[in-house]
Amino acid sequence: MAEPMHAGEPRLPPTYPPKSPPPPKRPVEPQRPDNQAPTVTAPLLPAVPRPARMSVRNRRSANWPLAADTWAAQKAARHVTETTRSWGYAYPQDETLAAAVQLLVAAVLADGGRRLSLHLADQDDRLLILALSHRPDPDPPDDDALNELAALTGTVSCGTDAAADGRRAWVLLDTTTPRARTRA
C-alpha cells in the first residue's frame, strides 16, 4: 500500500522495482479486418513426390550406398563377398561374385549418375545382387553386360529395368555346390 503523503514533503522513488505485466500466453496476432478469412500462403518449395523405394522382405538382406567412383566396383565386390561368406555360403566362388558385382556396377555407372546403391538378398539357396543407379530416365541398357552376366557360372537369371528411381541391373546366383560330372 501507498504511504500517506504529507504536504510539502518531496516524493521519493520506491525502494522496490515496479511490477511488470505477465507475458502474453500466445503470440500476438494483428487484428483481422471483419468478414475476411485468414490467408493461406503457398509453400516455398513445391511438393516433390517421393520416388518408389525398393523393399526386400522376409529374407536376409544388406545394402550399401556408394559414390559413383572408379573404385566403386572393387569396393562393392568386397562388401558382397564378405557378407555372403558371413551368411555361411561357400559358393559361388569369390571370383564369380566379384565378376558379377563388377558387371552390375559397370552397367549402372554407364548412366552417368553421381551415386549408386548395391543390394544383396538371399532366399532358397540363391543370392540376388542388384545395383541401382539413382538417375531417372537412363539410356537404353547395354546387352553386352547382360550376356556376360548370363555366361557366369551359377547364374540362374539376370536382367535390367528402368524405374522412376533409376536403372536396376540384377543377377540371381545359385549357392549350391555344382555336382561333379562322372563318366558313365
Side-chain angles (χ1 to χ4, degrees):
M1 276 209 194
E3 298 176 9
M5 300 229 11
H6 299 292
E9 290 182 15
R11 187 173 191 182
L12 298 174
T15 57
Y16 55 88
K19 186 175 181 181
S20 60
K25 294 186 179 178
R26 58 187 168 121
V28 177
E29 184 178 334
Q31 189 173 5
R32 295 187 191 129
D34 292 337
N35 300 331
Q36 276 195 350
T39 59
V40 177
T41 59
L44 296 177
L45 296 174
V48 177
R50 295 187 72 170
R53 304 200 89 181
M54 187 181 83
S55 66
V56 178
R57 296 184 180 148
N58 301 328
R59 62 194 69 147
R60 287 186 289 197
S61 64
N63 57 29
W64 302 273
L66 300 168
D69 297 310
T70 55
W71 55 84
Q74 289 104 5
K75 194 175 189 179
R78 186 176 63 246
H79 287 309
V80 167
T81 304
E82 289 172 359
T83 304
T84 301
R85 298 302 173 243
S86 72
W87 287 348
Y89 293 114
Y91 190 80
Q93 297 172 344
D94 292 351
E95 297 82 21
T96 305
L97 284 172
V101 170
Q102 288 175 355
L103 287 169
L104 291 172
V105 169
V108 297
L109 283 179
D111 292 341
R114 294 185 335 198
R115 62 188 178 106
L116 65 103
S117 60
L118 187 73
H119 302 266
L120 173 69
D122 75 329
Q123 183 179 7
D124 300 330
D125 294 326
R126 293 188 177 165
L127 287 175
L128 172 67
I129 306 170
L130 182 134
L132 175 64
S133 74
H134 297 271
R135 183 163 183 218
D137 302 324
D139 295 332
D142 182 19
D143 291 336
D144 293 337
L146 288 178
N147 293 335
E148 291 179 38
L149 277 170
L152 287 175
T153 306
T155 298
V156 176
S157 64
C158 62
T160 183
D161 64 349
D165 54 352
R167 180 194 318 280
R168 292 185 286 220
W170 54 271
V171 64
L172 189 63
L173 298 173
D174 192 10
T175 60
T176 58
T177 308
R179 294 187 228 168
R181 295 184 180 184
T182 58
R183 291 186 177 229

